[in-house]
Amino acid sequence: MAFNPVSHVLFDMDGLLLNTEDLYSIGFQKVASRYGKEFTFALKSRIMGQQSKEFAGNIISELDLPMTVDEFLEETRLIFQDLFPLCQIMPGVLKLVQHLHDHNIPMGLATSSSKETYDLKVVNHQEFFNLLPYKTWGSSDPDVKRGKPYPDIFFVAANKFPDKPDVEKCLVFEDSVNGVKAAHAAGMQVVMVPDPRLDRCQAPEATLILDSMEYFQPELFGLPPYPVHEQSN
């Protein structure tokens, strides 16, 4: 498969850089359990990448929960205040981001999270997220009119790079089907690192699908390769 060279990189956050998707599942199930309902992986797959009000509405509708969107978000916010600071960086992520930073590759964050939840998630990872200077929080940014799978967030995120690169020069990393569709709709190549439970046939738009960020080879997209002694790690 042929890949095109890129000069800029955009990262999703939840489930890709951080293991927060696991924490979302715990929090959503906690609410669902009060009403005898199950927050399934199938439902999770459909809402991943959506903005907060949208995923809340879809969970309420799918599980027939007797609450409003605002009530659901408030209840889960209290749960996530305790959970999110416990999150960890995913395997292979620190190595790649530090490598690209060391080679002066412009990088940005394109997450559907709000700034409020972002702050909870990164409380113990500030130094790492400082390596991603251009940040877009989809649920808080008024310029992001529609959530993933629409391409809005990636256009906004790419426009934050000072040199305003063409979309085809941007490589996106995603873990969700909605995120892959959004990046593809924006005209960008996208590397997917999905949950192992996901049927990969659901993401035909992905340029490349990997089991882990540990297996990414930067040189495939014209980015500086890892030093030879690190490539087998």
Side-chain angles (χ1 to χ4, degrees):
M1 190 167 183
F3 307 113
N4 298 316
V6 299
S7 55
H8 296 64
V9 179
L10 292 169
F11 293 96
D12 173 52
M13 181 172 67
D14 296 301
L16 181 88
L17 300 181
L18 300 173
N19 69 335
T20 38
E21 284 297 348
D22 297 338
L23 304 179
Y24 272 115
S25 294
I26 293 169
F28 294 156
Q29 184 57 56
K30 201 165 186 176
V31 176
S33 293
R34 291 206 294 110
Y35 302 100
K37 302 297 177 70
E38 182 185 359
F39 179 71
T40 64
F41 181 73
L43 174 55
K44 178 185 180 67
S45 298
R46 291 200 294 276
I47 67 162
M48 282 172 66
Q50 294 179 346
Q51 294 181 1
S52 54
K53 286 185 180 294
E54 187 177 10
F55 73 60
N58 285 330
I59 292 172
I60 290 167
S61 175
E62 180 78 16
L63 301 183
D64 194 25
L65 302 179
M67 57 201 317
T68 66
V69 166
D70 286 343
E71 287 169 345
F72 180 89
L73 290 175
E74 177 59 21
E75 188 167 333
T76 53
R77 184 182 67 81
L78 295 174
I79 296 170
F80 293 140
Q81 279 182 339
D82 294 328
L83 286 179
F84 283 155
L86 304 176
C87 70
Q88 300 294 318
I89 295 175
M90 298 286 279
V93 165
L94 182 56
K95 175 185 173 183
L96 174 60
V97 172
Q98 185 67 60
H99 171 73
L100 296 179
H101 173 78
D102 291 345
H103 287 83
N104 299 310
I105 302 299
M107 293 180 289
L109 187 71
T111 174
S112 297
S113 289
S114 66
K115 177 64 165 61
E116 179 187 24
T117 58
Y118 165 86
D119 287 338
L120 287 172
K121 295 165 186 173
V122 307
V123 67
N124 295 313
H125 307 292
Q126 295 284 2
E127 190 174 340
F128 169 75
F129 280 93
N130 287 341
L131 299 176
L132 304 173
Y134 307 104
K135 297 179 175 70
T136 303
W137 300 282
S139 292
S140 298
D141 193 322
D143 291 332
V144 182
K145 306 297 184 189
R146 302 170 299 176
K148 303 169 185 177
Y150 295 100
D152 304 31
I153 190 169
F154 291 116
F155 291 139
V156 171
N159 202 44
K160 290 184 180 178
F161 290 121
D163 56 346
K164 308 289 192 253
D166 292 336
V167 290
E168 61 266 22
K169 289 296 183 182
C170 296
L171 178 64
V172 173
F173 284 86
E174 268 285 355
D175 70 308
S176 72
V177 172
N178 285 328
V180 168
K181 291 180 183 297
H184 179 74
M188 301 175 182
Q189 294 177 97
V190 54
V191 175
M192 186 185 201
V193 188
D195 185 298
R197 294 170 290 179
L198 183 78
D199 178 359
R200 296 181 175 199
C201 293
Q202 293 184 44
E205 303 90 348
T207 312
L208 175 67
I209 302 180
L210 300 173
D211 291 333
S212 168
M213 195 79 91
E214 297 171 294
Y215 304 128
F216 180 66
Q217 297 172 272
E219 64 272 20
L220 292 178
F221 293 90
L223 297 167
Y226 288 124
V228 175
H229 69 276
E230 291 185 8
Q231 289 182 350
S232 61
N233 289 355

